[in-house]
Amino acid sequence: MGKQPPQLSPRPGCSDDSAPICDSICCATTTTSSRPVESKKTRSHKKDHAAANNAATSAPEEDETEIKDLLLIGAGCHGHAIMLRLLEPDPDFLSDKERHIRGENTDRMRPIHDVVKHIKNLSRGQRATLRSKSRKSKKKNQGNSASPDPPPHLKLNEVQKSVLVVDANGGWMQAWKDNFDSLRIPKLRSLMNAHTDPFDHRSLEYYAEAKGRGDELVTLTTLNQRDKNFKGPYQVPSTSIFNSFHDLLSKAYGIEDLVRTGTVVSINPTLEDGKADEPIFEVQIAFGKQQSIVRTVKTRRVVCSMGPIFRASEPRWLQDLAPQACDRVLHAHQICPYLKRRSEGGSSTDDMLQKILIVGGGLTSAQLALLATESNWCKEVTFIQRSKMNPRHFDIGNEWMGPKRGKLLEDFWCLDVNERVKKLKETRGGGTIPPEVILELAANQGKKLEVKEEVEVTKVQWVDDRLQVFLDDGSEPDFYDMIWLATGAQNHIDHYSALSHLRQVLPVDVVNGFPVLNTDLSWRAPTVVEEGEESREDEPTWKQVARKRIWFTGALAALQLGPDALNLIGARHGSVRVARAIRQDIAQSKAAASLKEDDHDCGCSHC
């Protein structure tokens, strides 16, 4: 018999295993009634990040003739997963269906020994992590290989020279970390097999074991489903170990300082000078936190991994509210910056804002209600929603994370795009709250917190520097210092102004706000041609090539990836498709260039 795999220690339960989430974060998270206290190690990490972020704010040196091989827009979990899969010599390029099939039959998965060795290599650094497997080792594991014969991986020195990563927040997954910090979220809502490691979906689990931090994989005590639709895992990682693991990935793959702080203004596909059918993208970027340096970057390929841009429709009562009162009403995207400013000292006015009304009904609103309740500055919190609380452990049903995930995705892909939109709405539904959070809300009810279901705001008035709120439940109007609107909002491609010029040059079909992409998530030619537009057959070759060299992940790829496109599982799913396509395209470009050089090398005086 072969060597037995290392035994995993049992996962301890959590006395209070609650799980709210902010919808603006790519994957859901959990919370408990006892918020973590910031440690010296955490403060040290923040100082280290601040130093790295100062370097990240600088724009790359200007060279109008340089053409990058790749521009990656967005350094969240989706961008991180893609970059790591571009570099990994032996990546997991499995489809979601194949990964779950192999999960049912461990003999077809990577040997555990290889996963454990991968974790050790991460700790040893770049040389160990990026070392290609020997031919002998590859042949030995051919039957268990995650991805036989993947396209050639990118070399780190190539990435450092010819790849630019830009993100408005600077640093890998920095917006994620900032939101978690502002909301003091101690553990994720996503399962422990959801992360950006490109080698194996079990890596985080074995990392926790190797570091003696198995107790930070917390068992969800109310998640007790064990049937043909869901068989676990039942653990979620703490925020601390999740961040540690992903910081290690960035360091081990040599990309920790790759991100530049900046915001993309426009993307312009055009012909490369002197080359008839070769496109490039001229991308205007405002670099720095203040966006004070605007430059045009030329690149052969673009990946758009921007986060969602949610915009909620304003309630009628807000439209009628006095202008001076509007600063006291915050939408979801304004709340985290407000909390961060308040934690850093805020203003004298903030000290007077002690009574909060939170309007919502999903994970964001529940999370904020608990946070405000547990704060020492808020004296009273009222949390209202227009429907009954809808308990659910995750953003979508458990069956989408079980053995039938592959079949569910295949059924989804068999639908036409209009039916897919309906399926997305049906699967995600409205706001949901994990059962643990509902219990936590109930435990705090009657203290500083009041929860009201099936009630709506009908009118708000500005009276004596306070907000007088009228509800439709017949109760007497009450006064509040602030209103936080954590209601549902829609993401739509029209919200992305940076894509306006791209859509003019390369039109795309849009269904209910989602672009219709190709299978590899590249920019698909429209099937319905508007008056004055070129048909797919009439489109110049360079435009056809350009479409194949710009990819989208995250919320905008939902019609191709399914209902969890925005989450960590969607980040892995999308990165497999995009990284494979990029690796293949770069390999083909190198081969064509090499062939052209060989053809020209004829022995003449010009060679």
Side-chain angles (χ1 to χ4, degrees):
M1 294 180 64
K3 184 179 179 181
Q4 293 296 313
Q7 296 296 311
L8 300 181
S9 62
R11 313 289 182 222
C14 180
S15 60
D16 188 5
D17 204 22
S18 39
I21 171 155
C22 175
D23 287 336
S24 64
I25 303 173
C26 288
C27 187
T29 56
T30 59
T31 184
T32 61
S33 58
S34 57
R35 306 286 170 175
V37 178
E38 187 176 277
S39 65
K40 291 182 179 179
K41 182 178 180 181
T42 302
R43 289 194 293 271
S44 174
H45 169 77
K46 287 183 178 180
K47 289 180 181 178
D48 292 342
H49 168 73
N53 197 46
N54 288 335
T57 58
S58 61
E61 293 184 6
E62 191 168 9
D63 182 354
E64 294 182 357
T65 63
E66 181 185 18
I67 301 177
K68 295 288 185 182
D69 278 338
L70 174 66
L71 170 65
L72 175 58
I73 305 170
C77 58
H78 297 265
H80 197 244
I82 290 170
M83 183 55 66
L84 295 179
R85 273 184 167 78
L86 291 176
L87 286 163
E88 171 56 46
D90 187 19
D92 169 6
F93 272 163
L94 294 173
S95 67
D96 272 36
K97 180 179 181 179
E98 180 64 21
R99 188 178 295 105
H100 278 269
I101 290 175
R102 294 192 182 197
E104 294 291 296
N105 183 357
T106 55
D107 290 340
R108 297 184 60 190
M109 297 175 71
R110 275 193 207 270
I112 292 176
H113 168 77
D114 285 0
V115 183
V116 172
K117 184 178 180 180
H118 168 67
I119 298 303
K120 292 179 180 178
N121 286 341
L122 291 177
S123 299
R124 290 170 180 156
Q126 297 172 17
R127 292 185 63 181
T129 301
L130 296 173
R131 184 186 300 120
S132 297
K133 280 181 172 288
S134 66
R135 291 185 179 182
K136 182 178 179 181
S137 177
K138 283 186 177 181
K139 185 175 181 180
K140 178 182 177 182
N141 294 324
Q142 187 69 34
N144 297 312
S145 176
S147 310
D149 301 321
H153 66 96
L154 274 61
K155 301 293 193 291
L156 180 58
N157 62 339
E158 295 175 329
V159 168
Q160 292 170 335
K161 179 182 179 181
S162 62
V163 174
L164 176 63
V165 183
V166 63
D167 187 277
N169 298 280
W172 292 109
M173 301 173 69
Q174 194 55 45
W176 172 296
K177 294 176 182 177
D178 288 345
N179 284 333
F180 275 39
D181 185 56
S182 295
L183 299 172
R184 290 184 286 166
I185 301 169
K187 60 182 183 296
L188 274 72
R189 189 186 178 199
S190 56
L191 294 167
M192 63 183 179
N193 59 6
H195 48 76
T196 68
D197 186 280
F199 187 77
D200 194 277
H201 65 279
R202 298 164 293 174
S203 295
L204 176 54
E205 179 180 4
Y206 284 96
Y207 169 80
E209 291 297 322
K211 297 299 180 182
R213 298 172 66 177
D215 59 341
E216 293 191 54
L217 302 179
V218 183
T219 300
L220 298 176
T221 55
T222 62
L223 180 57
N224 50 25
Q225 180 180 351
R226 287 168 175 82
D227 55 31
K228 61 182 181 180
N229 292 323
F230 184 77
K231 302 177 181 179
Y234 300 90
Q235 293 82 32
V236 297
S238 71
T239 300
S240 175
I241 197 168
F242 184 85
N243 287 343
S244 297
F245 181 58
H246 286 80
D247 287 345
L248 176 62
L249 288 173
S250 298
K251 184 175 182 180
Y253 282 89
I255 62 171
E256 57 185 337
D257 298 325
L258 202 61
V259 183
R260 294 291 175 264
T261 304
T263 301
V264 171
V265 179
S266 67
I267 302 173
N268 178 31
T270 187
L271 266 171
E272 183 179 352
D273 291 342
K275 297 186 179 181
D277 297 327
E278 189 68 22
I280 61 170
F281 297 88
E282 295 179 345
V283 184
Q284 192 176 48
I285 303 174
F287 288 97
K289 284 287 186 182
Q290 305 303 319
Q291 303 180 19
S292 55
I293 305 172
V294 180
R295 289 182 181 166
T296 298
V297 173
K298 296 178 181 180
T299 179
R300 301 193 187 281
R301 300 167 189 84
V302 178
V303 175
C304 296
S305 294
M306 302 91 77
I309 302 178
F310 290 119
R311 290 183 185 171
S313 56
E314 288 193 349
R316 181 171 299 177
W317 57 262
L318 183 57
Q319 299 171 15
D320 299 331
L321 194 59
Q324 62 269 34
C326 291
D327 289 343
R328 299 282 191 89
V329 181
L330 301 183
H331 289 282
H333 68 278
Q334 299 171 310
I335 298 172
C336 280
Y338 169 79
L339 291 171
K340 183 177 181 180
R341 189 185 78 236
R342 184 150 195 161
S343 68
E344 294 171 350
S347 64
S348 57
T349 307
D350 289 335
D351 295 335
M352 299 184 292
L353 309 179
Q354 300 178 350
K355 187 173 180 180
I356 310 295
L357 172 67
I358 298 174
V359 182
L363 300 168
T364 301
S365 51
Q367 181 174 319
L368 291 169
L370 292 169
L371 179 66
T373 300
E374 293 161 12
S375 69
N376 55 13
W377 55 266
C378 188
K379 304 301 181 185
E380 191 174 338
V381 183
T382 301
F383 170 34
I384 67 170
Q385 59 181 78
R386 65 181 180 182
S387 60
K388 279 284 196 182
M389 289 188 186
N390 182 12
R392 191 164 69 190
H393 282 98
F394 307 108
D395 278 352
I396 57 179
N398 294 355
E399 66 274 12
W400 283 88
M401 289 163 281
K404 293 187 176 182
R405 175 175 173 80
K407 179 64 167 57
L408 290 170
L409 285 171
E410 283 191 341
D411 292 344
F412 177 79
W413 294 325
C414 287
L415 302 173
D416 64 40
V417 288
N418 292 294
E419 290 298 319
R420 289 186 195 183
V421 169
K422 294 179 182 178
K423 188 65 176 179
L424 291 173
K425 291 182 177 179
E426 173 190 318
T427 303
R428 293 193 69 87
T432 61
I433 305 177
E436 294 89 352
V437 181
I438 294 177
L439 293 174
E440 190 174 354
L441 289 169
N444 283 278
Q445 176 88 304
K447 299 176 183 178
K448 288 166 53 174
L449 174 66
E450 180 181 11
V451 179
K452 291 187 175 185
E453 299 176 74
E454 299 182 289
V455 61
E456 291 188 75
V457 176
T458 58
K459 185 171 69 171
V460 178
Q461 297 181 159
W462 183 244
V463 181
D464 297 332
D465 291 334
R466 300 193 78 194
L467 297 159
Q468 186 182 32
V469 179
F470 296 78
L471 304 178
D472 65 357
D473 62 350
S475 60
E476 290 294 318
D478 204 350
F479 287 88
Y480 296 91
D481 299 310
M482 294 191 79
I483 298 176
W484 292 354
L485 297 176
T487 52
Q490 294 295 320
N491 189 56
H492 196 291
I493 192 172
D494 289 348
H495 300 167
Y496 297 79
S497 60
L499 302 180
S500 297
H501 192 76
L502 171 70
R503 294 172 64 188
Q504 290 174 12
V505 180
L506 302 175
V508 67
D509 288 333
V510 176
V511 180
N512 203 50
F514 298 107
V516 181
L517 307 174
N518 291 311
T519 303
D520 66 354
L521 308 186
S522 59
W523 198 242
R524 182 177 176 179
T527 55
V528 178
V529 180
E530 302 292 339
E531 185 177 350
E533 292 181 353
E534 298 163 320
S535 68
R536 184 181 303 187
E537 293 77 15
D538 296 335
E539 205 169 49
T541 302
W542 75 266
K543 286 189 176 183
Q544 296 177 32
V545 176
R547 289 184 180 278
K548 297 177 182 178
R549 291 182 176 173
I550 181 166
W551 298 266
F552 289 76
T553 61
L556 291 180
L559 289 179
Q560 282 64 42
L561 295 180
D564 53 6
L566 182 60
N567 295 355
L568 276 166
I569 293 294
R572 178 176 64 204
H573 188 179
S575 70
V576 167
R577 299 194 190 190
V578 174
R580 179 187 287 276
I582 294 173
R583 286 168 63 148
Q584 187 66 48
D585 187 62
I586 289 178
Q588 290 173 349
S589 296
K590 288 180 178 178
S594 177
L595 182 62
K596 188 174 182 180
E597 288 180 3
D598 290 342
D599 289 343
H600 184 67
D601 190 8
C602 60
C604 68
S605 59
H606 299 290
C607 294

